[in-house]
Amino acid sequence: MAKEGNLEAPTRHALDWQNPDFYNEDKCLDELERIFDICHGCRRCVSLCGAFPTLFDLVDESSTMEVDGVDKKDYWKVVDQCYMCDLCYMTKCPYTPPHAWNLDFPHTMLRAKAIKFKKGEVGTAEKFLASTDVHGSFAGIPIVVQAVNAINKTETARSILESVAGVDKNAWLPALATQKFRSSAPDAKASKEVDGEKTPGKVAIFSTCYINYNEPGIGHDLLKILDHNDIPYVLVEKEKCCGMPKLELGDLDSVKQSKEANIPVLAQYAKDGFAIMAAVPSCALMFKQEIPLMFPDCTDTQLVKEAMWDPFEYFMARKRDGLLKTEFPQALGNVSYQIPCHGRVQNIGKKTEEMLKMIPDTEINTIERCSGHAGTYGVKKGSHDMAMKIGKPVFKAMATMKDGSKPDFISSDCPLGGHHIAQGFEVNGLGAPELNHPLTLVRKAYGLK
């Protein structure tokens, strides 16, 4: 007898993406119909993103007011609105495995996106946007960086970028760094490894494309915190994009290429007893969940999964080991902090909030809701406005502390999401608090320069 909903935590099945049936469009559409019918009868996820309102509008406007009245060609409208945040699976859906209905909305959307990609229906502009290593190849070249950053701020250039690359002219875009993180990171000050019961005593840093090419300051703040806590670190010998932008596009063969470049390198660090750390939640999630689900039988992939840490997950485990410094001489005042979706999906709890709350004379206003940015979704011409609409409740909730005062800082573990929130503040006239990554806030609270 089927239960109405799960009383157990959701479990994830491996992604059977190398099975030829995975790319069978008719079978995929049949599965979409089955899932859409369940979603239509539930509607708990209507407020999460654009995918569910799109689906429910299609149903309500059909001749039967049921899923069987929706033209299957219109299913793709729903697929295009899903940006793989995973929140429906993790926080809302009562029918995920181990429930008998076995509903996995995001990975079914991923299957549909993979079919669309295989059919050649993803444009060159979208492919380019997802090629973060290509964008970053210009970082660190002073004259080129200055020229590109200056040009990208002009209205003419943004209009051209919108028409050629599909980047909304009003969307915030990151600047290229004048120095890459990987080429400017100093050697660790500490050399003595002190293992804790819960934590390895040395860290290997997976830089991530964004921190390496766009905001190396976040990476430097992480290194300063590690130095301050006498934790030796190294940067991984070499790295390629984690593959998340390609996954969101449905380009699973490119994800495999990234896996084949990264996993052998990272697995050696895992075998050598390092905690592997990625300061961008989406990148950590790729190694903790998506790649392991794509390659469940790869021993090295599973080793990396177990060795991968979010920075604040590591710091709070380090505190429980009695090995984290907890004296913070610098108060931060009012901080409005957003937990990004890909941080929540890691199932690590509110570790960033936990550390920020340790800072004396500092008030934390924590918001658990999607900012709407979601990688390339937030910058594309066809979805930027929707991304701003999805994020509006977050912007408004972060604009006022619980006592009615205004925040001094706004922050998110997701750097792109943080900038999206800052733009939301500007567009909606909510004030101009300083945007700082949580690692930057902790570095300041420690009194480090």
Side-chain angles (χ1 to χ4, degrees):
M1 180 177 177
K3 293 182 290 185
E4 192 279 330
N6 275 336
L7 298 177
E8 303 167 76
T11 58
R12 262 282 159 62
H13 295 314
L15 191 71
D16 196 20
W17 70 283
Q18 297 187 82
N19 184 335
D21 270 354
F22 185 83
Y23 295 96
N24 184 307
E25 185 171 353
D26 290 336
K27 290 184 178 180
C28 179
L29 290 172
D30 287 343
E31 178 63 4
L32 286 172
E33 182 176 18
R34 183 186 77 88
I35 285 178
F36 288 172
D37 193 45
I38 297 170
C39 293
H40 156 56
C42 175
R43 302 202 175 201
R44 285 182 61 178
C45 292
V46 67
S47 64
L48 285 182
C49 66
F52 295 99
T54 299
L55 169 61
F56 303 147
D57 285 347
L58 287 170
V59 173
D60 294 344
E61 293 165 6
S62 73
S63 58
T64 65
M65 297 186 70
E66 298 288 346
V67 173
D68 62 10
V70 178
D71 190 326
K72 288 189 176 181
K73 292 196 297 293
D74 287 333
Y75 287 7
W76 298 103
K77 296 177 181 178
V78 181
V79 173
D80 289 342
Q81 288 297 320
C82 176
Y83 44 72
M84 309 292 294
C85 73
D86 234 30
L87 284 196
C88 58
Y89 193 95
M90 297 302 298
T91 70
K92 291 282 188 180
C93 184
Y95 305 118
T96 56
H99 192 278
W101 289 356
N102 192 34
L103 200 157
D104 187 337
F105 191 94
H107 275 176
T108 308
M109 296 297 105
L110 176 60
R111 180 184 180 185
K113 290 174 184 287
I115 290 169
K116 184 177 179 180
F117 190 90
K118 281 282 190 184
K119 291 170 65 181
E121 294 178 359
V122 174
T124 302
E126 284 188 276
K127 292 177 183 177
F128 176 74
L129 278 178
S131 301
T132 51
D133 280 330
V134 175
H135 312 163
S137 63
F138 298 105
I141 308 173
I143 296 176
V144 174
V145 166
Q146 291 163 9
V148 170
N149 289 343
I151 290 169
N152 278 343
K153 292 179 180 177
T154 67
E155 188 174 336
T156 301
R158 290 303 303 267
S159 295
I160 293 171
L161 195 61
E162 182 176 270
S163 61
V164 173
V167 176
D168 193 291
K169 63 183 179 182
N170 296 315
W172 176 86
L173 286 181
L176 289 171
T178 54
Q179 271 194 309
K180 296 178 185 178
F181 172 66
R182 285 181 60 81
S183 60
S184 60
D187 292 335
K189 292 180 180 179
S191 57
K192 183 180 178 181
E193 301 169 19
V194 181
D195 292 333
E197 182 181 344
K198 301 177 184 298
T199 53
K202 55 185 178 181
V203 170
I205 306 291
F206 183 85
S207 303
T208 77
C209 298
Y210 185 83
I211 289 175
N212 190 31
Y213 302 136
N214 301 109
E215 282 197 69
I218 296 171
H220 286 290
D221 288 339
L222 171 59
L223 302 187
K224 289 173 184 177
I225 295 169
L226 291 169
D227 276 336
H228 182 67
N229 283 283
D230 303 315
I231 301 168
Y233 63 78
V234 296
L235 270 61
V236 300
E237 183 182 2
K238 57 183 178 179
E239 65 182 77
K240 184 179 174 66
C241 174
C242 68
M244 178 60 84
K246 300 294 188 181
L247 184 86
E248 292 171 346
L249 209 61
D251 183 4
L252 301 185
D253 290 326
S254 288
V255 175
K256 181 182 179 182
Q257 291 175 10
S258 291
K259 176 259 182 188
E260 290 175 345
N262 287 321
I263 291 297
V265 177
L266 296 178
Q268 190 57 55
Y269 287 101
K271 292 170 185 176
D272 290 343
F274 283 85
I276 307 170
M277 193 177 292
V280 175
S282 298
C283 304
L285 184 66
M286 279 299 289
F287 295 110
K288 284 185 174 187
Q289 174 175 290
E290 302 299 346
I291 295 174
L293 287 173
M294 288 179 65
F295 301 93
D297 299 324
C298 175
T299 302
D300 281 354
T301 295
Q302 303 306 318
L303 278 175
V304 173
K305 172 186 175 180
E306 296 304 318
M308 182 63 61
W309 294 76
D310 168 90
F312 290 96
E313 176 191 17
Y314 178 83
F315 292 142
M316 288 301 93
R318 200 76 176 159
K319 177 177 179 286
R320 287 167 176 78
D321 283 334
L323 296 169
L324 185 81
K325 295 180 180 178
T326 56
E327 299 78 25
F328 297 95
Q330 183 64 52
L332 298 176
N334 289 341
V335 178
S336 257
Y337 160 67
Q338 184 255 356
I339 306 177
C341 303
H342 286 170
R344 294 172 68 184
V345 175
Q346 291 178 48
N347 286 321
I348 58 176
K350 300 177 182 179
K351 297 298 187 262
T352 303
E353 178 195 63
E354 188 177 338
M355 189 161 189
L356 292 175
K357 283 186 171 181
M358 291 163 51
I359 302 167
D361 300 317
T362 300
E363 292 297 322
I364 309 299
N365 173 33
T366 301
I367 305 301
E368 285 189 276
R369 186 163 177 158
C370 181
S371 72
H373 190 274
T376 59
Y377 184 88
V379 302
K380 289 190 290 191
K381 182 180 178 181
S383 53
H384 171 68
D385 288 344
M386 177 59 78
M388 294 300 288
K389 181 179 179 180
I390 291 168
K392 193 168 185 178
V394 174
F395 313 150
K396 293 176 71 175
M398 293 182 72
T400 306
M401 304 296 288
K402 293 177 178 64
D403 63 359
S405 61
K406 298 297 181 183
D408 300 300
F409 296 97
I410 53 175
S411 190
S412 173
D413 300 278
C414 175
L416 290 169
H419 284 284
H420 186 71
I421 291 166
Q423 184 177 19
F425 267 66
E426 180 183 357
V427 169
N428 291 284
L430 298 172
E434 186 177 342
L435 171 66
N436 277 184
H437 191 275
L439 289 168
T440 304
L441 293 176
V442 171
R443 187 264 299 165
K444 287 182 174 180
Y446 271 135
L448 306 174
K449 301 296 183 182

